[in-house]
Amino acid sequence: MEQNGWDVVWEEGSSSEWIVEYVVEQGSERSRHLSLLLAEDPDGVRDALIEEIRAEYPDAGHLEITVVRLEAVEELGDLAHAGDAVP
């Protein structure tokens, strides 16, 4: 088991799917995002998140990014659903 800068414990054989919820602030604009990212380890999650943000905001100058939630997903059936929409 390894502790890393993301405050996530990485265990050998853990899932490579990650749920990442984050907020992007650009000037006075604020957007909330929820993504399913594929990565082998937390550093890979960070790299995948950076790629996603660059694709979403290609012409952006300075962005403030706040990761609200980062968790490994064992199976998609493990996700708790709260809301009116049916996944």
Side-chain angles (χ1 to χ4, degrees), residues 20-83:
V20 182
E21 182 178 3
Y22 62 98
V23 176
V24 177
E25 293 182 51
Q26 181 180 18
S28 62
E29 299 288 320
R30 183 180 175 143
S31 301
R32 192 172 199 104
H33 301 266
L34 182 65
S35 295
L36 177 66
L37 300 176
L38 301 176
E40 294 300 317
D41 57 25
D43 289 332
V45 174
R46 182 190 64 223
D47 294 342
L49 181 58
I50 290 169
E51 285 181 33
E52 178 174 302
I53 292 168
R54 284 183 178 155
E56 185 72 26
Y57 300 90
D59 299 325
H62 179 76
L63 297 174
E64 291 288 330
I65 311 297
T66 304
V67 175
V68 178
R69 177 172 60 147
L70 172 66
E71 64 183 80
V73 177
E74 293 298 321
E75 295 181 19
L76 290 177
D78 290 347
L79 297 175
H81 173 71

Side-chain angles (χ1 to χ4, degrees), residues 1-4 6-11 14 18 42 72:
M1 226 174 350
E2 172 187 334
Q3 186 72 28
N4 55 61
W6 288 74
D7 293 331
V8 173
V9 176
W10 179 258
E11 295 181 12
S14 292
W18 295 79

